[in-house]
Amino acid sequence: MVNNAAGALLLALSALARGGEAVVSRGELVEIGGSFRIPDIMARSGAKLVEVGTTNRTHPADYDRALTPDSKILLKVHRSNFQVTGFTADVAVVELAEMAHARGLACVYDLGSGLLINLSAWGLSGEPTVSEGVAAGADLVVFSGDKLLGGPQAGILVGTEKAIAACRADPIARAVRADKLTLAALEATLALYRDHTTARREIPVLRMLTEDLGSVKRRATAVLQGVGDKAELVEGDSEVGGGSFPGAKLKTWLVGIKHPAPDTFVTQLRSHDPPIIARVAGSRVLLDARTIFPEQVETVVAALKADG
Ligand SMILES: *Cc1c(COP(=O)(O)O)cnc(C)c1O
């Protein structure tokens, strides 16, 4: 465990590829929010970036051709916050790990969001789970503690004994280490995952992503009843956001309020105590009931009445 996934990847690259080359597809040279950029992290780690393939298509032979005696790792980076569609090809991490091992190299997988439960039963697919990354044979799987995992800001490295030992021994480990409070919070979050039903109930992000539509609608109706005539029930979509499940949408129920100056109204709601984050569509301000917890209904109703 380190202080964030950016630190985890820096550490992984330093421990396994410093002074050598790390090979990565041009389609995976991503930027994540807050100026995390793969080429920049690579440069700071002391590993030399070797780009292969093209933006839309990368093949196994591209990696092969790029290998030199200085090659240390094959790096796979998950495209957490955008999609590439159309004429595309990439090399699956399981194949990349096999290639790496056949050539005496290591495979590092920056998986991003730290999804621990497969959410395809709730209509969400495309985001790899940590166990899939580990099962694919990557020597190190790197992910965040605070995205889909739902814990404190942290970066987590899971991998082989040898790769983890190399990370522990690297001087960067100390510079990016997580503090006691982070470890305690992460432990508490991870403990909830022993039972997936408990995790879905207790971890807010999972609760929101897996709540059934009927109960979202009931809550939207409760807000509606509190606010009165000026609000209406609107059918719509929720976006997962937070740099995960790019392009995925979940059906939801929204509370819509027509307003002559919706942008002003949204700004007022944001400066309310506590702040209420809504969105604007046309002349309406929309609040997604999926993201309002039962215990927050009253507060939201009060804010809508005060500012509307
Ligand atoms: C979010 C993300 C990171 C950075 O994670 P932090 O914990 O915010 O530092 C790195 N790589 C990928 C693929 C990500 O999605």
Side-chain angles (χ1 to χ4, degrees):
M1 313 288 182
V2 298
N3 56 20
N4 54 38
L9 187 65
L10 179 69
L11 177 58
L13 292 171
S14 172
L16 302 186
R18 190 174 190 80
E21 295 172 351
V23 185
V24 59
S25 162
R26 290 195 170 90
E28 298 171 8
L29 295 174
V30 308
E31 175 177 308
I32 313 286
S35 74
F36 170 98
R37 293 175 140 195
I38 293 292
D40 298 345
I41 297 273
M42 192 85 82
R44 290 301 163 100
S45 73
K48 185 177 166 222
L49 168 65
V50 176
E51 302 174 14
V52 297
T54 62
T55 308
N56 57 326
R57 288 173 70 83
T58 304
H59 307 282
D62 293 323
Y63 290 91
D64 247 341
R65 270 198 296 274
L67 297 183
T68 73
D70 289 334
S71 304
K72 298 277 195 226
I73 62 168
L74 302 186
L75 173 66
K76 177 87 182 164
V77 183
H78 177 60
R79 290 190 279 251
S80 294
N81 53 3
F82 69 106
Q83 285 176 307
V84 179
T85 58
F87 188 51
T88 62
D90 63 355
V91 181
V93 65
V94 58
E95 200 178 339
L96 212 58
E98 265 172 33
M99 285 181 63
H101 298 152
R103 290 153 184 79
L105 312 178
C107 174
V108 174
Y109 186 17
D110 179 6
L111 176 135
S113 71
L115 181 63
L116 296 182
I117 299 178
N118 186 324
L119 297 179
S120 52
W122 291 275
L124 290 168
S125 53
E127 205 63 47
T129 63
V130 171
S131 51
E132 282 162 2
V134 172
D139 296 82
L140 280 178
V141 179
V142 172
F143 51 98
S144 273
D146 54 317
K147 293 182 179 172
L148 293 174
L149 195 148
Q153 184 183 309
I156 303 174
L157 297 132
V158 175
T160 62
E161 208 175 334
K162 189 173 162 214
I164 295 291
C167 290
R168 270 194 219 284
D170 194 280
I172 290 196
R174 172 83 185 185
V176 296
R177 77 173 172 165
D179 81 314
K180 296 180 204 67
L181 293 178
T182 299
L183 296 178
L186 204 50
E187 182 180 19
T189 306
L190 291 173
L192 296 170
Y193 279 95
R194 288 199 185 112
D195 173 39
H196 285 185
T197 309
T198 308
R200 288 202 295 111
R201 192 184 57 231
E202 300 295 329
I203 298 174
V205 64
L206 296 181
R207 180 162 148 191
M208 287 188 268
L209 293 179
T210 65
E211 184 174 19
D212 74 275
L213 203 51
S215 97
V216 175
K217 189 175 187 179
R218 278 193 295 281
R219 212 157 48 255
T221 309
V223 175
L224 219 61
Q225 280 164 353
V227 179
D229 293 347
K230 60 179 182 174
E232 56 192 329
L233 196 61
V234 182
E235 209 171 348
D237 298 306
S238 307
E239 272 190 41
V240 180
S244 62
F245 288 114
K249 286 194 189 324
L250 292 168
K251 286 261 155 281
T252 195
W253 287 98
L254 306 150
V255 175
I257 299 170
K258 276 220 161 56
H259 197 281
D263 292 309
T264 312
F265 186 24
V266 158
T267 310
Q268 277 169 1
L269 289 173
R270 275 178 194 243
S271 32
H272 191 86
D273 181 17
I276 312 282
I277 311 298
R279 61 189 207 242
V280 175
S283 60
R284 269 197 306 223
V285 168
L286 299 175
L287 289 102
D288 190 340
R290 182 185 290 284
T291 63
I292 303 170
F293 291 136
E295 63 275 17
Q296 297 171 330
V297 167
E298 242 175 77
T299 312
V300 171
V301 168
L304 291 174
K305 280 184 161 166
D307 292 326

